[in-house]
Amino acid sequence: MTFPLQGDDSSERAARPFDVLGKVYEETYAHLPEQLAAIDWLLARLPERARVMDIGSGTGRPTADLIAAAGHQVTGYDVSATMVDLARTQVPAARFERADVRALPGTPGQWDAVTAFFPLLQMPRTDLDATLARIADWLAPGGLFVFATVPFDAEDEEIQWMGQTVRCTSYPVETYGRLLRAAGLEIEHERVSVFHPDFPGMGAEEHLFVHARKPGGPAAVAHALAGPYPLPASYRGPHELSEQGWLGMEARFERRDVEQVVDALAANSRVLDVGGGTGAVVREIAARLGSVTTVEPHAAREESMRQLATSGVRVIPGCAEQLPFKDAQFDATVATWVLHYTDDPAAAVAEMARTVDRAHPEAKVVLVQGAPDNELIELWNRACAPLIGEPRDHQGYLLTLAADILAERGFDDISFTRARVDVVFPEEGTEAKAQAAAEVLAAFWNTGHPGLGQLREALLPALREHFASGTDRFNDDAVMLTARPRTHAARQEPTS
């Protein structure tokens, strides 16, 4: 499809520096930390297979490349023919067209997200204003806009940039916020940072990054990390959990989810952990924050965790469905790998939300469950569920249920991020690995089951096949759901 460029020579003038620079522009600007963080912010909130427009798509990297790799439908537009050719070669999973955004035919509500990293600097202010308003119109209700520019107070100012003569227009920081709000968008993040381009003769640049949302749409989107879809119609019921089985697994873990959870809670001070288990998570939270309260329903584990009191861990007996605390007693509540062991996950999530003070600027609920491509869950569903007559496990059902309940209770800024977890079997040889895994997994999933030996035997063919590939581990990846009140969505005030 061919789109028109602007009728005057402004499109050609805007394209000229980028036609000359090509890959050099990517090499200089593709690793901006704030841009990568903005893409992460977007990916954590996009619905499954979202429609994303990338304005000023350049070489396709990093924006279109990362978004398309996450399974979304990306269409990039750029005035530079050189950039479009490069993008088509480098990012075949996305679509790229040569076009001036000012000349694009827009359909209201067409896009789930729009990204615009520095493309609006070479148009007059009247066009810049109109383009921001059109972007807001193009977004579907609930749609997301990630925008970056160089803020300054001038129009059609000639500058030297990367060896090119460019005429630029912009506004002061506060004007962009006013324009986006006037267009009907809600700003969720606004920050000014300083970047030092690695290019001869270039000085420091001030960059403004804005994340915004169009009101409306579902409070909790159908995110890809809450799949696979379609979801089950109801909860399958709780898994059994034993101290012995869990300890056997814990010795095999290489967990990166704990670090992500602790980082998410770094600005909190009153944290409740639900289902303390063996203390692996609460120990790290207390080490970072100085203290944490945990609720544990199993007497043996509650007793074993009391030795952590000297490390700042307060242990309280209780269950997730009826937490023994007053409303709004904490500024964050966290539960890692807990919901699939509860009798009533909906009640548990509602209780977690109840205990958090929504007025606190860092109010949040953090949940960790299995990822949709988790190899151990897939193995359990394939080998164990039919043998013991239980329904298949679906962790995404629990994450979606939690997201809906949290959104109903005002925690409607919801993000999903992957956390890497491996279960490692370093034994020598395929058979030794398979035998060790069968022993550990059968005990973890079904300690005390009368058919435990039969379960171990049923697992062995799949385990031998898995380890024959040369791997020594299973992917046990997690998804971290973070829910905050939208009025307290992650925001940093502009600083220079």
Side-chain angles (χ1 to χ4, degrees):
M1 185 179 295
T2 302
F3 295 95
L5 299 180
Q6 199 72 356
D8 55 28
D9 68 349
S10 60
S11 296
E12 297 293 345
R13 189 172 63 245
R16 202 168 297 129
F18 296 96
D19 285 336
V20 172
L21 290 167
K23 283 280 289 182
V24 175
Y25 176 77
E26 177 188 314
E27 291 161 2
T28 305
Y29 284 91
H31 302 292
L32 279 169
E34 290 83 0
Q35 182 173 350
L36 297 174
I39 296 168
D40 286 344
W41 180 88
L42 190 67
L43 291 176
R45 290 163 177 80
L46 283 178
E48 185 185 31
R49 290 192 57 75
R51 301 157 298 167
V52 181
M53 174 195 278
D54 183 19
I55 300 172
S57 47
T59 67
R61 293 176 177 165
T63 306
D65 191 18
L66 292 173
I67 297 173
H72 302 296
Q73 303 168 62
V74 183
T75 303
Y77 298 103
D78 203 289
V79 294
S80 165
T82 297
M83 291 298 194
V84 170
D85 289 343
L86 283 168
R88 288 172 175 168
T89 300
Q90 296 191 146
V91 191
R95 172 187 163 211
F96 298 94
E97 302 291 345
R98 187 179 182 218
D100 188 319
V101 67
R102 294 171 293 177
L104 283 177
T107 302
Q110 181 178 359
W111 302 97
D112 297 305
V114 175
T115 62
F117 292 108
F118 308 102
L120 309 184
L121 286 160
Q122 295 191 74
M123 61 178 66
R125 281 180 170 174
T126 53
D127 287 349
L128 197 163
D129 296 359
T131 299
L132 291 175
R134 292 183 76 207
I135 288 169
D137 187 49
W138 290 338
L139 286 171
L144 303 171
F145 180 41
V146 177
F147 172 64
T149 192
V150 179
F152 58 90
D153 189 6
E155 185 168 15
D156 199 34
E157 178 177 302
E158 185 175 290
I159 66 168
Q160 293 299 309
W161 172 79
M162 296 190 75
Q164 309 295 311
T165 299
V166 182
R167 304 194 72 88
C168 290
T169 295
S170 192
Y171 285 114
V173 170
E174 57 272 13
T175 303
Y176 285 104
R178 177 176 57 78
L179 289 171
L180 292 171
R181 292 185 183 95
L185 301 181
E186 299 172 349
I187 294 178
E188 299 207 352
H189 171 95
E190 184 176 345
R191 178 177 173 81
V192 173
S193 61
V194 177
F195 177 64
H196 298 269
D198 184 14
F199 189 88
M202 294 278 285
E205 294 180 353
E206 197 173 66
H207 293 166
L208 169 66
F209 285 84
V210 179
H211 310 166
R213 184 190 302 265
K214 186 171 184 175
V221 302
H223 196 280
L225 286 176
Y229 294 91
L231 300 177
S234 60
Y235 180 40
R236 52 141 276 138
H239 285 275
E240 290 185 26
L241 178 65
S242 77
E243 181 80 1
Q244 178 185 352
W246 179 261
L247 288 173
M249 276 288 281
E250 190 170 57
R252 304 273 181 167
F253 279 137
E254 284 185 4
R255 297 183 64 173
R256 296 168 184 85
D257 59 324
V258 178
E259 181 181 359
Q260 287 183 224
V261 168
V262 174
D263 286 346
L265 300 171
N268 294 99
S269 57
R270 294 175 290 125
V271 175
L272 171 65
D273 171 86
V274 178
T278 60
V281 177
V282 293
R283 187 183 298 109
E284 296 302 320
I285 295 174
R288 175 78 68 92
L289 304 182
S291 65
V292 62
T293 300
T294 185
V295 170
E296 174 53 54
H298 298 283
R301 272 177 283 165
E302 177 207 338
E303 186 62 34
S304 67
M305 274 199 298
R306 291 194 182 279
Q307 62 184 311
L308 298 177
T310 56
S311 301
V313 179
R314 176 184 175 221
V315 185
I316 304 293
C319 68
E321 294 91 338
Q322 194 170 359
L323 294 171
F325 303 104
K326 297 182 294 184
D327 292 358
Q329 190 170 336
F330 301 91
D331 56 48
T333 296
V334 59
T336 60
W337 301 94
V338 165
L339 291 182
H340 56 300
Y341 295 120
T342 62
D343 292 320
D344 189 343
V349 173
E351 278 288 272
M352 293 175 205
R354 179 187 65 79
T355 65
V356 177
D357 177 9
R358 283 178 48 210
H360 191 279
E362 289 294 333
K364 60 177 71 79
V365 176
V366 179
L367 303 173
V368 174
Q369 295 294 146
D373 55 353
N374 182 299
E375 290 178 335
L376 286 184
I377 294 171
E378 191 278 332
L379 177 62
W380 189 91
N381 284 333
R382 177 160 46 99
C384 301
L387 183 63
I388 62 178
E390 288 192 9
R392 293 171 62 86
D393 190 11
H394 197 301
Q395 299 279 297
Y397 169 87
L398 295 170
L399 289 165
T400 301
L401 176 69
D404 289 340
I405 292 168
L406 290 167
E408 289 170 2
R409 284 156 176 77
F411 293 85
D412 52 354
D413 179 50
I414 295 170
S415 65
F416 298 82
T417 52
R418 179 183 292 272
R420 183 71 185 174
V421 182
D422 288 324
V423 182
V424 183
F425 296 90
E427 285 79 4
E428 289 291 330
T430 296
E431 185 62 25
K433 285 178 168 62
Q435 291 289 342
E439 187 73 29
V440 169
L441 294 174
F444 176 58
W445 287 329
N446 291 91
T447 298
H449 192 277
L452 195 61
Q454 187 182 2
L455 179 58
R456 283 195 296 268
E457 290 301 315
L459 285 169
L460 279 171
L463 292 171
R464 289 178 180 124
E465 181 182 357
H466 179 80
F467 290 120
S469 68
T471 185
D472 66 348
R473 64 196 56 219
F474 272 92
N475 147 21
D476 194 23
D477 278 8
V479 174
M480 184 174 77
L481 181 158
T482 305
R484 303 183 60 177
R486 192 161 288 167
T487 52
H488 301 324
R491 181 183 301 169
Q492 295 177 336
E493 294 306 318
T495 57
S496 57

